[in-house]
Amino acid sequence: MIRMTEKQAEELMADLDAKISKRWQATVDRTQFMQELKEGKLKKESIKLFYQNWGAFVPVINSVYTAAFYKHLWFFVKNVDLMEIYTQKVLDEFGHPTPPGHIQILIGTGNALGLTAEEVLLSPMLPKARALPDFHRTLLMDGLVQEYWFSVLWEGAFGASCLDWFKALTLHYGLTTEQASYFSKHHEADTMDHLDRKAHGAVTKTVLARLLQQGIYERPGYSMEYCAVTPVDLVALMMDEVYKATH
């Protein structure tokens, strides 16, 4: 069993944050897709196809998060105080600005890109793009409790990248700040405390710190670092697949 003090858990989280950020810079930021997006040279067709695949991913990852409460109910019942911050994130995702929550902002930015709600939410995902939601879903259903929670640590890196998206869409692709709000809102929600609630990344770290203090077991092949950094590679894979499909 792996068991850590609170300080050791915090140090591990900081180390993984650094590794995720480094991996993001080495993979996602270096994709042809992301480089051209930031320069305003990416085809609108590529942006729209990515957004369709991302739009199909969002309801899955949000529903996986709610399913985690049932799957890990024994842990939350044992640690009732953590139900508060867990619920804060649920309220943010599904209640802000009004129910059904962030999905409204997702659709709004999609509309500004020329996509209907159906195209944003119901388009079939490209095969390699589907690897990202399937990874999270598999860890929740088949993995040990900490594997899922480590796998969503990349929210912070995604939130930071949302600022690049927001700048590109408003500077190069004609969207207003309101129309690009899916990315500005997620930059805020994933990287900083807001609305008297913890940043989404901070919620994950709080849960993980408690798990590590109470003790975890690791499956062979599913280390903490593997679960944490693999989604970054899968985001890059999605971008590469979209770029290939539109060029």
Side-chain angles (χ1 to χ4, degrees):
M1 174 179 281
I2 300 170
R3 182 177 281 121
M4 298 183 182
T5 65
E6 183 176 1
K7 185 174 184 298
Q8 288 172 328
E10 290 174 355
E11 290 172 349
L12 171 67
M13 235 69 73
D15 180 60
L16 287 176
D17 259 349
K19 288 178 177 177
I20 289 169
S21 179
K22 183 178 180 181
R23 187 73 147 257
W24 192 279
Q25 292 168 19
T27 56
V28 175
D29 285 346
R30 291 189 181 180
T31 61
Q32 198 69 28
F33 181 100
M34 205 64 192
Q35 289 179 351
E36 290 186 14
L37 174 72
K38 287 188 274 190
E39 294 170 356
K41 297 178 180 178
L42 186 64
K43 291 180 181 179
K44 185 77 172 290
E45 180 188 0
S46 300
I47 296 174
K48 290 172 70 173
L49 183 58
F50 177 85
Y51 204 82
Q52 287 175 272
N53 280 269
W54 192 260
F57 163 70
V58 169
V60 174
I61 194 63
N62 286 347
S63 62
V64 167
Y65 181 75
T66 57
F69 186 78
Y70 173 73
K71 183 73 173 179
H72 305 148
L73 184 60
W74 61 269
F75 172 74
F76 285 104
V77 171
K78 183 179 177 182
N79 298 275
V80 176
D81 60 306
L82 293 182
M83 289 187 187
E84 180 180 356
I85 62 165
Y86 175 90
T87 305
Q88 286 176 358
K89 184 177 176 184
V90 171
L91 289 172
D92 197 29
E93 291 286 5
F94 293 96
H96 180 73
T98 58
H102 286 184
I103 200 164
Q104 297 174 97
I105 307 171
L106 177 74
I107 293 170
T109 295
N111 291 161
L113 291 171
L115 299 167
T116 65
E118 290 75 18
E119 287 174 323
V120 171
L121 299 174
L122 300 177
S123 296
M125 297 185 77
L126 295 170
K128 291 182 180 179
R130 187 168 291 283
L132 181 61
D134 284 357
F135 180 74
H136 289 293
R137 185 162 38 210
T138 299
L139 290 187
L140 177 70
M141 300 308 297
D142 301 338
L144 300 177
V145 57
Q146 79 279 358
E147 293 173 7
Y148 162 75
W149 291 97
F150 276 112
S151 80
V152 291
L153 273 176
W154 65 279
E155 275 186 304
F158 170 69
S161 185
C162 280
L163 191 56
D164 292 328
W165 271 93
F166 178 77
K167 289 178 179 178
L169 293 178
T170 54
L171 289 174
H172 303 304
Y173 294 94
L175 272 66
T176 65
T177 55
E178 180 62 29
Q179 289 173 326
S181 63
Y182 174 77
F183 294 102
S184 59
K185 295 295 184 185
H186 278 78
H187 171 66
E188 176 185 277
D190 291 341
T191 64
M192 61 188 79
D193 295 348
H194 60 291
L195 302 173
D196 295 321
R197 298 169 184 158
K198 284 182 177 290
H200 293 179
V203 173
T204 301
K205 291 173 187 175
T206 302
V207 172
L208 282 169
R210 188 70 57 84
L211 279 166
L212 290 165
Q213 288 173 73
Q214 293 179 356
I216 63 168
Y217 293 95
E218 280 191 334
R219 288 192 294 165
Y222 291 87
S223 68
M224 293 177 275
E225 181 175 337
Y226 172 78
C227 294
V229 300
T230 295
V232 177
D233 294 336
L234 299 180
V235 172
L237 184 67
M238 183 188 294
M239 290 180 170
D240 285 341
E241 182 75 348
V242 166
Y243 192 88
K244 180 181 176 182
T246 52
H247 286 78

